[in-house]
Every structure is written in C-alpha cells, then in structure tokens.
Amino acid sequence: MYQRLKETLYHGTISDIVKIDVAKGRGNKDFGRGFYMAVSKKQAIGMMHKKYKEAIRRSRNKKCAEYQEKLYEIQLDMEYIKTLKVKYFETADEEWLEFVLMCRERGGVPHDYDLVIGPTADDDTMLCLKAYYDGLYGRRGSVEAKSILLKNLEPEHLGVQYYIGKQAVAEKLVARMKMIPWR
C-alpha cells in the first residue's frame, strides 16, 4: 500500500492557512470532521471554486475582499505515514459506501484511523446519497438500495482524497505546506 501513496497533495480553500486545524472541518463529511487533501490539483481547484461560490452565496452575493481563492501544495512525511493507522479504499465499493454513510450519519470522527484515503464523494454523490436516504432506491440499508446507489455513483469518475482527523497527526504528517499559483 505504501508505494501507492502520494507525497504531494493539494488543498483548495478561501482561507489563509498558517497551521492546519482539523477542528475547522465540517462534521458530516465523507471520512469525518477533519482536514482533506486532494491527489489532483484540478480536484483541489474545483473545491476551492466551490468554497468561494458558497461564501459569496452566503454573503448574499456581495463580493467580499476576505474571500480569496487559494491553493496549497502539501508535502507529507512518508516515513511518518508508516507509523499511522491507515484506512485505504482502492475504489468506491460497498465497504467504502458503508464507511462514508457511517461518517456522514454520525458526524464528528466516528472511527479511530489516523489517515483515511479513498474516493471523494462529490456534488453528484450528494444527490445520489439524498435519493438513497429518501428511499428512492428501495429500503434504506437494503442490499438492493446500496447496489443501485453504488452503480449511480459512477465510482470510476470520483477523485481521490486524503483525510486527517487528529490534530497531532496533522502536525507530524504535513512536512511542508505552501501556497502556489492556481491559474
């Protein structure tokens, strides 16, 4: 598994990041509350644009100088990773789906992994999850409903994300972080 891990990751945001603070993450996300990084620069830029649009919408479409799109390049300490409890999802399969559903339903950090790596549930995924929760694919929790949900997610098109939910891990795992141009 370690040979497949990426040393350089990206994080798109509208905030200045001096130090990673996992507590600033939202509670009901794919792998829990924490700090997320993308393998793809394009994916991180997409998230950055999404966060910017959300901030503008919440401020009633007034463009505010406090909202600036920023892309960070992050270097991980690859030796430190070997000491961590890592959950690695190769693909968006049933095990991944169960994990994402658990994290989104419970909120916070409902597992004891130091680092979780796997497919990203994007905006289309959220629509599919809502349909699943609303029972449109069948009885929630049933094998049939989960099977339809996984098929509709088109897992081959999902990006890959790295997640850190523990502050002490973030402080040791992130070896370097710098803002880089995104245009």
Side-chain angles (χ1 to χ4, degrees), residues 70-93:
K70 298 170 185 186
L71 180 65
Y72 288 87
E73 181 179 79
I74 298 165
Q75 299 292 316
L76 301 183
D77 181 333
M78 298 309 282
E79 287 303 310
Y80 180 65
I81 284 180
K82 295 174 184 174
T83 69
L84 300 177
K85 184 173 183 183
V86 178
K87 180 64 178 170
Y88 185 87
F89 294 100
E90 289 271 343
T91 186
D93 57 12

Side-chain angles (χ1 to χ4, degrees), residues 94-163:
E94 190 171 338
E95 181 187 13
W96 170 85
L97 178 61
E98 290 289 342
F99 194 85
V100 169
L101 290 172
M102 178 215 26
C103 290
R104 287 181 175 270
E105 288 173 0
R106 293 186 189 171
V109 183
H111 56 79
D112 65 345
Y113 293 104
D114 298 315
L115 178 66
V116 181
I117 303 163
T120 303
D122 60 11
D123 287 344
D124 292 337
T125 303
M126 290 310 305
L127 294 173
C128 292
L129 286 174
K130 180 166 178 11
Y132 168 80
Y133 286 130
D134 291 346
L136 297 178
Y137 301 148
R139 185 179 53 77
R140 185 173 161 179
S142 70
V143 172
E144 178 186 66
K146 289 178 186 174
S147 176
I148 293 169
L149 173 56
L150 274 173
K151 181 181 172 201
N152 289 341
L153 290 176
E154 299 180 354
E156 65 276 8
H157 299 297
L158 300 177
V160 176
Q161 63 190 344
Y162 282 50
Y163 158 87

Side-chain angles (χ1 to χ4, degrees), residues 13-15 26 48-64 66-68:
T13 187
I14 58 170
S15 306
R26 292 191 208 148
M48 175 187 69
H49 290 324
K50 179 181 173 191
K51 290 174 186 177
Y52 181 78
K53 288 176 187 172
E54 282 179 17
I56 295 300
R57 184 178 46 80
R58 287 185 183 150
S59 67
R60 300 181 188 196
N61 293 321
K62 296 176 185 169
K63 290 204 175 197
C64 298
E66 67 185 81
Y67 303 130
Q68 295 179 10

